[in-house]
Amino acid sequence: MSPQTLLKELLVEPEASPFSSESFDKYVMTTYGRFNIALERGEGCRVWDTVGREYLDFVAGIATCTLGHAHPALIEAVTKQIKTLHHVSNLYYIPVQGELAKWLVDHSCADRAFFCNSGAEANEAAIKLARKYAHEKLNIGNPTIITAHASFHGRTLATITATGQPKYQKGFSPLVPGFHYVPYNDVAAIELAIAELDKDERQVAAIMMEALQGEGGVRPGDVAYFQRIREICDAKGILLILDEVQVGMGRSGKYWGYENLGIEPDIFTSAKGLGGGIPIGAMMCKSSCDVFEPGSHASTFGGNPFACAVALCVCQTLERENILENVQQRGEQLRDGLNKMAAQYPNLIADVRGWGLINGLELQTDIPLTSADLVKSAIAAGVLLVPAGPKVLRFVPPLIVTEAEVAQALAAVEKALASQSV
């Protein structure tokens, strides 16, 4: 049976399923283009839809379900905390928030942490901190933050402006001033940009980059590029901000993406995998640039007992079960399999790249096949994958994925490519 036939069988009409997409769309705003699957249950690296079909989950909530679904440690942490205290205001001390902050500081280059609810909020906090630092410490009246083309930093007005992709900004002008874009991994371009901005009296307060561009096509940062950025920042007093929302919390095979680059940022952000699927974000910084004070910034839900207890459980489980070793081994297995496919189908595949368990398979630009086409074929084979742009297929499974599960995902992709090659 062809993938197309399987896909047709998969797309169940609303009346044949206990779930109705028509009813859903009537009440929920259509801000997503959804695949016609309604998921209701998960365990480990697998999920089930409302009609009982099983899927291998290589999306993990888009690099979010660090420990997979229904992990025993998470179940215990959630149950214990919801029975104890789930939310209080940050007007009071929250002991588990302090424990989580200490773990993050002990396992990174940071000195302090601010907690919020998402990656966009964490990046917004980083932007605010950089601007306040520029005004108070650098005496810059019109601070500019340099970001990269093809970056992605969130969906708030400030973070879509920081995002160097016009498609996310369309329809939302006027955008927030104070951002300038440069090509990613291009040393000469960033040096030229800083010189030109200085001439225009748009002084650079910070450089904000992803250690690995996720939505921009799974593009790892170049070591020499980031080391040069660090040198420039040190020489000019500029802050270096790294967006670790997608690549942090062990996904790269190290706790933080910057560890793959041989540098330390002044500020970095985390979310997604930090809570293993429970919403929490964090902006972390070195004490040298912490100019926040009471009233500078806040978040009602940020760092509440429930979210912090779950995030602390994720952190401790990563460490206790040595999950980073699994990330490294399974990542090597995945890239090896994808590289073999690239050698077998050079007319279809242009590149394979990534770190740990965030990897991308880039399709040739001169063929009609898209990443969405491969996603649909994989769904028909019982594997969930996610695009990272029209030509890049992204692999971001839970960090507990097994050797057999990686092999299953590879087989599904290979089958889809084989059908296209024929």
Side-chain angles (χ1 to χ4, degrees):
M1 187 179 292
S2 71
Q4 290 79 11
T5 303
L6 284 170
L7 186 60
K8 286 180 181 178
E9 289 191 1
L10 180 71
L11 300 181
V12 179
E13 293 299 321
E15 62 269 21
S17 166
F19 170 80
S20 169
S21 59
E22 182 179 345
S23 176
F24 183 96
D25 291 337
K26 180 179 178 181
Y27 299 106
V28 179
M29 295 182 75
T30 53
T31 55
Y32 289 88
R34 293 178 168 88
F35 293 101
N36 199 1
I37 302 173
L39 300 176
E40 66 174 0
R41 176 170 75 87
E43 183 176 347
C45 294
R46 299 183 182 276
V47 291
W48 287 262
D49 67 14
T50 53
V51 293
R53 292 192 180 93
E54 177 184 315
Y55 305 89
L56 178 61
D57 184 6
F58 261 55
V59 179
I62 311 184
T64 297
C65 299
T66 307
L67 304 179
H69 305 278
H71 191 285
L74 278 185
I75 292 172
E76 181 180 356
V78 166
T79 303
K80 179 180 177 181
Q81 195 61 48
I82 201 68
K83 288 181 176 180
T84 307
L85 184 69
H86 72 286
H87 179 77
V88 291
S89 169
N90 278 295
L91 293 172
Y92 316 106
Y93 286 101
I94 302 172
V96 70
Q97 183 183 129
E99 291 181 62
L100 175 59
K102 182 180 186 304
W103 192 97
L104 293 170
V105 166
D106 288 347
H107 293 80
S108 75
C109 65
D111 295 314
R112 290 171 188 162
F114 167 84
F115 294 104
C116 51
N117 309 290
S118 68
E121 290 181 54
N123 286 333
E124 188 92 17
I127 291 166
K128 288 181 68 175
L129 183 64
R131 285 189 171 190
K132 188 172 175 62
Y133 182 87
H135 288 297
E136 295 186 0
K137 299 296 183 180
L138 303 179
N139 197 30
I140 295 177
N142 186 25
T144 297
I145 297 176
I146 293 177
T147 67
H149 292 300
S151 59
F152 184 84
H153 298 293
R155 298 282 192 163
T156 66
L157 274 177
T159 56
I160 63 165
T161 309
T163 293
Q165 299 195 56
K167 67 180 181 180
Y168 293 115
Q169 301 167 348
K170 184 178 180 181
F172 298 111
S173 60
L175 298 175
V176 177
F179 294 93
H180 182 85
Y181 313 111
V182 297
Y184 191 64
N185 280 339
D186 187 331
V187 172
I190 201 164
E191 291 177 337
L192 178 62
I194 291 171
E196 291 180 344
L197 288 167
D198 283 345
K199 288 180 183 178
D200 293 341
E201 296 186 355
R202 293 175 59 200
Q203 291 171 283
V204 179
I207 297 172
M208 184 176 185
M209 295 280 168
E210 294 161 275
L212 173 150
Q213 287 192 329
E215 302 299 321
V218 190
R219 301 182 186 279
D222 180 72
V223 173
Y225 176 71
F226 275 88
Q227 290 183 346
R228 179 58 184 146
I229 289 177
R230 182 68 271 178
E231 291 173 358
I232 292 170
C233 289
D234 289 341
K236 292 183 170 288
I238 297 170
L239 296 177
L240 175 56
I241 305 169
L242 289 189
D243 178 342
E244 296 259 0
V245 169
Q246 187 161 168
V247 78
M249 282 307 296
R251 184 151 293 278
S252 73
K254 300 180 183 294
Y255 282 123
W256 308 107
Y258 69 75
E259 295 179 84
N260 296 277
L261 302 171
I263 58 155
E264 291 184 356
D266 301 296
I267 303 168
F268 63 102
T269 58
S270 180
K272 285 188 178 288
L274 177 59
I278 298 300
I280 186 171
M283 183 272 291
M284 291 156 280
C285 70
K286 295 192 173 183
S287 56
S288 57
C289 60
D290 181 11
V291 293
F292 277 173
E293 56 193 357
S296 295
H297 197 46
S299 172
T300 296
F301 295 108
N304 74 22
F306 183 80
C308 285
V310 175
L312 182 61
C313 171
V314 171
C315 294
Q316 292 173 338
T317 304
L318 281 178
E319 185 173 19
R320 183 179 63 252
E321 298 185 3
N322 196 22
I323 289 175
L324 293 186
E325 183 177 353
N326 187 64
V327 174
Q328 295 159 10
Q329 292 175 352
R330 300 287 69 78
E332 289 177 8
Q333 177 192 357
L334 181 57
R335 283 187 297 279
D336 181 62
L338 294 175
N339 279 315
K340 288 178 180 176
M341 288 183 214
Q344 186 176 1
Y345 304 106
N347 59 317
L348 299 178
I349 300 174
D351 194 18
V352 172
R353 53 182 177 261
W355 291 337
L357 285 174
I358 178 167
N359 294 279
L361 182 151
E362 183 174 19
L363 299 170
Q364 296 286 0
T365 57
D366 59 351
I367 61 174
L369 184 66
T370 68
S371 54
D373 294 330
L374 288 181
V375 168
K376 291 175 182 176
S377 292
I379 288 173
V383 177
L384 303 184
L385 294 168
V386 62
K391 286 291 184 176
V392 179
L393 186 64
R394 182 171 20 173
F395 299 77
V396 281
L399 304 190
I400 60 168
V401 68
T402 66
E403 182 178 358
E405 288 167 337
V406 170
Q408 180 184 344
L410 287 168
V413 174
E414 201 280 332
K415 184 176 180 181
L417 290 169
S419 67
Q420 293 295 328
S421 182
V422 171

